[in-house]
Amino acid sequence: MSYPTIVLKKGKEKSLERFHPWIFSGAIKSLPEDIEEGSIVEVRKVDGSFIGIGYYQIGSIAVRMLTFQNEQLDKAFWQAKLEEAIELRRTAGLWGNPETNVFRLIHGEGDGFPGLIVDYYAGCVVFQAHTVGMYLIKDVFLDIIKEVLGFELKAVYDKSAHTLPYKAELSTSDAFLYGEEKEEWEVLEYGCKFNINVVTGQKTGFFVDQRENRKLLEKYCKGKKVLNTFCYSGGFSVFAMQAGAELVHSVDSSQLAIDLTDENIKLNFKDHSNHKSFTADVFSFLNEMPEQYDVIVLDPPAFAKHRRVLANGIKGYRTINEKAIRNMKSGGVLFTFSCSQVVTQEHFRTAVFSAAARAGRKVQIIQQLHQPEDHPISIYHPEGEYLKGLVLRVI
Ligand code: SAH
């Protein structure tokens, strides 16, 4: 079987020859008139020579590449990719780990599935397509995941309705595709328990990407006063409590998030009188902090979702970091993050540098943090590096 063909303008194959997985619409010389969004396409140079196979999407990224070999994209093709993804999680010690049964199983381009996110919650798999092409592999994915995971698979939930391009008009709704139709799943992360609601929770239910950074926080919290801002389901707070913090304050503007935090704290600690939650805007909270903290976590949502709002986003990072640095105890530790893809390591460090200078404190970078192994970055697709963090000591 051959696929409809897209021909590139002369010279536009350069980045593909370096295995970059995206083709921008401006690089295309010709495409079939009747092509439908999500269709598998063959990509060729002007001289007709083969480059690879991908899928078509309406928008500025017109094709996302799936292979640079001339092969059939049959069930065996997808199965080999999934098994490769599982193999990485096994190498990283996540697969079959009795202490941690929540991780990302497929991380888009990093795992060779551009546009697809799949998270694993103690047997419940959440499938989230961000493109039509990936949504169209849903049935084959379901077949494969059932075969590969066998009895370990408890449920599959499709949560793509709000992440697919709205213009695609697929009129899909989120639904369980397989197994127990259970919204709440109790998972373990380094032995700490979290109750995750895959249906009502943000993203796929949990911010899986902060696992290693939450664990690292433990090291700095014993006997300390800890503030966890943008806490969502309380991940960093649970690890601070686990470490034996003197007090832990969790802040989020969403009442739903605060309820989740309280629930997760109770799930892990019988005595939780040293934990307190605040439903508040972090910007205002940092202006009138009820305590002077030894340890502060700043893990905001992406302040810059697009390049055109980059400058504003950077300003947002500078503002919260300045407030935190200004008011911390001497010798305190700040965990500060950006999950904006368009904010580079350099931008983020510069924003934090200006924050420190404005606060007029002596600040040391003691660790540099990033996304964990189950959020791999294809070396050919540096855009996949989105999570950046710094651990600072403020004197
Ligand atoms: N640190 C969390 C993930 C944070 S997600 C974890 O480890 O799981 C970002 C959170 O910031 C969301 O829960 C969102 O409700 C909250 N948020 C966004 N803007 C906010 C603001 N201005 N003030 C307080 N919380 C905010």
Side-chain angles (χ1 to χ4, degrees):
M1 196 175 103
S2 67
Y3 301 107
T5 301
I6 280 185
V7 179
L8 297 186
K9 288 180 186 159
K10 194 160 183 279
K12 293 291 183 187
E13 67 280 0
K14 289 277 183 298
S15 63
L16 295 166
E17 283 169 353
R18 290 190 300 269
F19 307 117
H20 194 280
W22 294 347
I23 300 176
F24 291 96
S25 54
I28 294 178
K29 180 175 185 326
S30 70
L31 74 169
E33 236 170 54
D34 55 352
I35 191 161
E36 285 185 19
E37 192 163 27
S39 308
I40 302 288
V41 290
E42 249 178 48
V43 181
R44 293 188 177 270
K45 288 195 216 173
V46 182
D47 66 9
S49 53
F50 176 85
I51 299 176
I53 301 173
Y55 67 84
Y56 173 71
Q57 171 101 19
I58 298 168
S60 99
I61 304 171
V63 179
R64 287 170 171 82
M65 299 304 290
L66 296 163
T67 176
F68 291 95
Q69 277 161 28
N70 206 343
E71 57 186 324
Q72 281 306 310
L73 272 55
D74 51 12
K75 188 174 161 193
F77 170 85
W78 296 110
Q79 179 153 347
K81 269 187 192 281
L82 175 65
E83 282 173 352
E84 193 52 55
I86 291 174
E87 196 48 40
L88 166 61
R89 278 71 191 168
R90 195 173 279 131
T91 304
L94 292 164
W95 192 261
N97 182 333
E99 294 244 288
T100 299
N101 56 18
V102 45
F103 50 85
R104 179 148 293 184
L105 188 53
I106 294 180
H107 184 63
E109 280 79 354
D111 280 305
F113 288 86
L116 181 64
I117 294 297
V118 176
D119 285 338
Y120 181 89
Y121 295 116
C124 175
V125 163
V126 182
F127 174 97
Q128 188 169 71
H130 291 247
T131 57
V132 178
M134 284 295 102
Y135 190 67
L136 296 179
I137 68 159
K138 190 176 67 168
D139 293 341
V140 66
F141 175 83
L142 186 60
D143 268 6
I144 297 166
I145 196 95
K146 281 198 258 183
E147 272 175 42
V148 175
L149 266 63
F151 68 89
E152 285 185 49
L153 183 68
K154 307 279 189 293
V156 179
Y157 184 62
D158 169 25
K159 200 174 185 180
S160 310
H162 299 284
T163 53
L164 285 168
Y166 71 97
K167 284 188 188 144
E169 288 178 357
L170 291 172
S171 57
T172 141
S173 42
D174 294 339
F176 281 94
L177 306 176
Y178 170 78
E180 256 182 280
E181 300 204 356
K182 198 171 79 157
E183 286 191 18
E184 291 186 10
W185 295 79
E186 191 176 300
V187 301
L188 285 176
E189 184 177 270
Y190 281 111
C192 292
K193 294 178 198 159
F194 290 94
N195 194 6
I196 287 164
N197 190 314
V198 296
V199 175
T200 59
Q202 291 185 33
K203 307 269 174 173
T204 63
F206 193 56
F207 288 84
V208 185
D209 56 358
Q210 287 287 26
R211 179 187 57 251
E212 304 304 323
N213 302 330
R214 288 191 278 253
K215 178 70 184 161
L216 180 70
L217 183 77
E218 267 188 0
K219 189 166 157 180
Y220 299 99
C221 293
K222 192 171 169 40
K224 303 292 185 194
K225 294 183 174 173
V226 182
L227 171 65
N228 177 19
T229 66
F230 306 97
C231 64
Y232 184 49
S233 50
F236 283 103
S237 308
V238 166
F239 281 88
M241 294 280 286
Q242 180 75 6
E246 180 190 327
L247 74 80
V248 179
H249 287 172
S250 306
V251 184
D252 202 289
S253 53
S254 147
Q255 186 57 48
L256 202 79
I258 291 298
D259 294 344
L260 285 174
T261 295
D262 290 341
E263 191 184 332
N264 286 326
I265 293 282
K266 283 185 198 141
L267 196 60
N268 289 280
F269 309 101
K270 253 199 200 125
D271 175 10
H272 46 81
S273 52
N274 57 334
H275 175 262
K276 196 170 170 192
S277 295
F278 299 82
T279 310
D281 173 64
V282 169
F283 287 82
S284 335
F285 188 92
L286 290 175
N287 286 336
E288 291 164 36
M289 295 200 280
E291 287 282 345
Q292 223 196 354
Y293 299 97
D294 303 285
V295 178
I296 298 184
V297 179
L298 296 175
D299 184 25
F303 280 163
K305 288 215 168 84
H306 309 281
R307 215 170 287 277
R308 53 181 188 279
V309 291
L310 180 62
N312 258 342
I314 291 177
K315 220 160 122 191
Y317 291 116
R318 193 189 65 203
T319 306
I320 53 167
N321 280 281
E322 181 186 339
K323 288 179 199 280
I325 293 171
R326 194 181 285 286
N327 296 314
M328 289 190 71
K329 263 198 199 160
S330 180
V333 172
L334 175 64
F335 273 58
T336 181
F337 298 96
S338 161
C339 62
S340 308
Q341 194 169 21
V342 297
V343 173
T344 63
Q345 189 81 255
E346 203 52 43
H347 289 135
F348 182 56
R349 208 204 264 220
T350 308
V352 177
F353 151 77
S354 330
R358 283 171 171 238
R361 303 279 299 261
K362 196 168 157 191
V363 175
Q364 297 164 308
I365 298 177
I366 55 175
Q367 296 211 39
Q368 306 199 43
L369 308 177
H370 9 227
Q371 62 215 62
E373 320 84 312
D374 50 337
H375 294 62
I377 305 159
S378 159
I379 202 150
Y380 307 112
H381 180 251
E383 297 89 334
E385 182 179 0
Y386 71 100
L387 183 63
K388 294 110 201 162
L390 294 170
V391 183
L392 306 175
R393 183 161 169 269
V394 180
I395 307 161

